């Protein structure tokens, strides 16, 4: 490609087949193609594809241009999957959620040309439609993070709506986990390389929900634990990203903030009118350890709630697989091995077993190499004698597949040879791989 198309070399082009647009069903057939496939096409043809795409999207009401806003500098990071689809100023899809930005040039072009569709807050409509909408954790990811941030802000500002917001967020997250368990667990691993504090908190909630059910907690206690996971680190939110980005040894003041954060989080919750005794007790105890070496009260044994230990273990697992400025992240394989050793007096032995049961040997969102030398991403855990299930994305010779191919790794040809855990994930269309979009 030449001329004006040169700047789009790294982007993914959306080609929409307008002949399949059906006004009665409000649907459109969409395919993702790499720009390299267009190397022999005239630029005018590409412009015509964009024009027809834009007309069809507007005609169907799929996209309204006034709903798109510029991407702010700092919102995206090299090496991390995009948290949402990116559009140009005309409403054309440039990059799908899951694309990994590789260079500063790409990043600058996105800040210059990119737009995204922010969450619209229409409370009454949301209430009516919330239970009708299919949960897609990838499409909902930005909404969940925005709702979490708004909820925590409501608590710290003692907003009268704080308790209602927290209960609504916990229900939303639990329903997402129940309706799309494999994709929900995949979020934890796909976005684990350098998550913000709000992303980490969301991961705690996801892991707590699944681990609590595997451990045998009833629905009510699981729901309270999920809410506790979303608020236990409330007092750390203002400083957590700064601490994670620092390469210096913690100061005494910073250590004091960390040790006091359970108490300060409880203070903020009670000031906002959130006084559920079980929730507050979980938060108070989630840094205690069964051998008495924890804080703030040095509790031991069965004096510590199992919910508090589940939350602590969820936080620890996320910390293991998360990269920080002062240390490298552990591989998922190494983190699982370490979790397996934790039933040594620090926590109830059944809790690490429950988390490992949830994760499986190869958790969703993990890259693996198969015996036929394909590389793919785990999209589903094993079910009885079948699986885990993998979507192959690279062929045996390292070529990128243009489509998606599911592999049942219980079939000898597709047995898992081992984990592939690069420091930077390859670009993937998450919603497509997990079957939320054809």
């Amino acid at each position: 490609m030449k001329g004006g198309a040169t700047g789009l070399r790294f982007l993914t082009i959306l080609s929409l087949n307008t002949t399949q647009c059906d006004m009665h069903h409000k649907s459109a057939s969409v395919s993702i193609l790499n720009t390299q496939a267009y190397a022999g096409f005239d630029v005018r043809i590409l412009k015509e594809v964009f024009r027809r795409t834009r007309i069809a999207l507007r005609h169907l009401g799929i996209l309204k241009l006034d709903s798109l806003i510029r991407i702010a500098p700092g919102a995206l990071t090299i090496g991390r999957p995009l948290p949402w689809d990116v559009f140009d100023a005309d409403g054309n899809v440039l990059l799908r959620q899951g694309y990994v930005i590789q260079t500063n040039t790409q990043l600058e072009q996105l800040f210059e040309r990119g737009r995204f569709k922010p969450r619209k807050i229409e409370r009454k409509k949301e209430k009516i439609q919330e239970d009708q909408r299919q949960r897609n954790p990838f499409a909902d990811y930005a909404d969940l993070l925005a709702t979490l941030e708004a909820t925590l802000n409501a608590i710290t500002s003692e907003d009268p709506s704080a308790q209602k917001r927290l209960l609504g967020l916990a229900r939303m997250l639990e329903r997402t986990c129940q309706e799309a368990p494999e994709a929900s667990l995949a979020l934890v691993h796909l976005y684990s390389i350098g998550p913000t504090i709000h992303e980490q908190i969301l991961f705690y909630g996801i892991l707590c929900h699944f681990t609590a059910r595997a451990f045998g907690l009833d629905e009510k206690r699981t729901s309270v634990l999920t809410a506790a996971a979303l608020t236990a680190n409330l007092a750390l939110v203002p400083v957590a990203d700064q601490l994670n980005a620092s390469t210096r040894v913690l100061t005494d003041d910073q250590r004091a903030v960390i040790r006091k954060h359970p108490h300060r989080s409880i203070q903020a919750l009670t000031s906002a009118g959130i006084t559920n005794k079980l929730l507050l007790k979980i938060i108070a105890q989630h840094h205690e350890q069964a051998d008495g070496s924890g804080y703030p009260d040095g509790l031991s044994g069965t004096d510590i709630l199992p919910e508090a230990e589940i939350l602590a273990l969820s936080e620890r697992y996320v910390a293991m697989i998360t990269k920080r400025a002062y240390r490298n992240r552990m591989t998922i394989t190494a983190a699982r091995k370490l979790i397996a050793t934790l039933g040594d007096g620090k926590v109830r032995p059944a809790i690490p077993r429950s988390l490992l049961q949830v994760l499986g040997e190869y958790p969703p969102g993990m890259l693996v190499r198969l015996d036929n030398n394909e590389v793919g991403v785990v999209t589903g855990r094993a079910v009885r004698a079948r699986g885990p299930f993998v979507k192959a994305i690279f062929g045996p010779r390292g070529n990128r597949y243009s489509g998606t191919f599911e592999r049942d790794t219980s079939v000898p040809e597709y047995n898992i040879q081992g984990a592939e855990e690069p420091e930077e994930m390859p670009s993937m269309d998450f919603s497509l791989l997990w079957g939320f979009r054809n």
Side-chain angles (χ1 to χ4, degrees), residues 224-225 228 278-286 305 307-308 311:
V224 175
L225 171 56
L278 177 57
L279 181 144
L280 299 180
K281 195 172 182 181
I282 294 169
I283 294 173
Q285 295 183 357
H286 80 283
L305 292 170
E307 289 93 331
L311 175 53

Side-chain angles (χ1 to χ4, degrees), residues 111-126:
F111 290 147
E112 181 182 338
R113 304 181 65 248
R115 306 287 192 277
F116 76 102
K117 196 172 185 179
R119 179 174 182 263
K120 271 193 172 181
I121 300 175
E122 299 177 25
R123 300 196 184 285
K124 290 184 179 179
K125 288 186 178 179
E126 276 186 38

Side-chain angles (χ1 to χ4, degrees), residues 154-373:
I155 294 169
T156 54
S157 63
E158 300 181 20
D159 190 302
S161 68
Q163 180 165 287
K164 189 175 182 181
R165 284 173 180 266
L166 177 58
L167 293 175
L169 173 60
R171 281 196 299 268
M172 186 193 310
L173 184 59
E174 287 195 302
R175 188 180 156 209
T176 300
C177 291
Q178 290 161 4
E179 292 188 10
E182 307 304 322
S184 297
L185 282 170
L187 281 178
V188 177
H189 301 100
L190 293 169
Y191 286 102
S192 66
I193 291 179
T196 65
I197 182 58
H198 291 100
E199 288 178 296
Q200 292 175 62
I201 289 171
L202 196 65
F203 300 160
Y204 304 155
I206 291 169
L207 292 172
C208 281
H209 170 81
F210 286 114
T211 307
R213 298 318 301 264
F215 180 71
L217 293 184
D218 62 33
E219 187 175 334
K220 185 176 180 180
R221 290 176 69 181
T222 299
S223 295
V224 175
L225 171 56
T226 302
L230 297 171
T231 53
N233 293 282
L234 177 62
L236 284 179
V237 168
V239 298
D241 289 338
Q242 180 184 353
L243 292 177
N244 291 340
S246 174
T247 57
R248 297 180 179 180
V249 177
L250 291 177
T251 66
D252 290 340
D253 287 344
Q254 289 171 329
R255 292 183 188 280
V257 168
I258 292 172
R259 291 187 69 86
K260 291 177 181 177
H261 83 268
H263 176 65
R264 289 177 175 171
S265 296
I266 290 170
Q267 280 183 321
L269 287 162
T270 53
S271 296
I274 299 171
T275 57
N276 182 287
K277 291 181 179 179
L278 177 57
L279 181 144
L280 299 180
K281 195 172 182 181
I282 294 169
I283 294 173
Q285 295 183 357
H286 80 283
H287 283 291
E288 302 287 359
Q289 296 192 14
D291 63 0
S293 62
Y295 65 89
D297 298 320
L299 300 179
S300 62
T302 55
D303 289 337
I304 305 170
L305 292 170
E307 289 93 331
E309 293 187 337
I310 291 171
L311 175 53
L313 190 59
S314 298
E315 290 187 4
R316 187 166 182 177
Y317 177 71
V318 171
M320 289 176 188
I321 63 172
T322 298
K323 186 176 181 179
R324 304 284 168 83
Y326 53 87
R327 62 162 173 78
N328 292 325
R329 67 191 187 108
M330 292 178 67
T331 64
I332 296 170
T333 303
R336 286 187 75 266
K337 289 180 179 177
L338 184 55
I339 293 291
T341 69
L342 294 181
D344 58 358
K346 296 285 186 181
V347 295
R348 292 169 173 82
I351 289 176
R353 287 200 299 267
S354 297
L355 176 57
L356 292 174
Q357 177 187 330
V358 165
L359 297 173
E361 186 174 359
Y362 299 100
M366 185 181 190
L367 290 179
V368 292
R369 184 174 295 275
L370 307 183
D371 273 350
N372 68 349
N373 222 31

Side-chain angles (χ1 to χ4, degrees), residues 392-405:
I393 54 179
F394 292 102
R397 296 182 179 179
N399 54 303
R400 180 78 187 234
Y401 285 144
S402 58
T404 59
F405 304 95

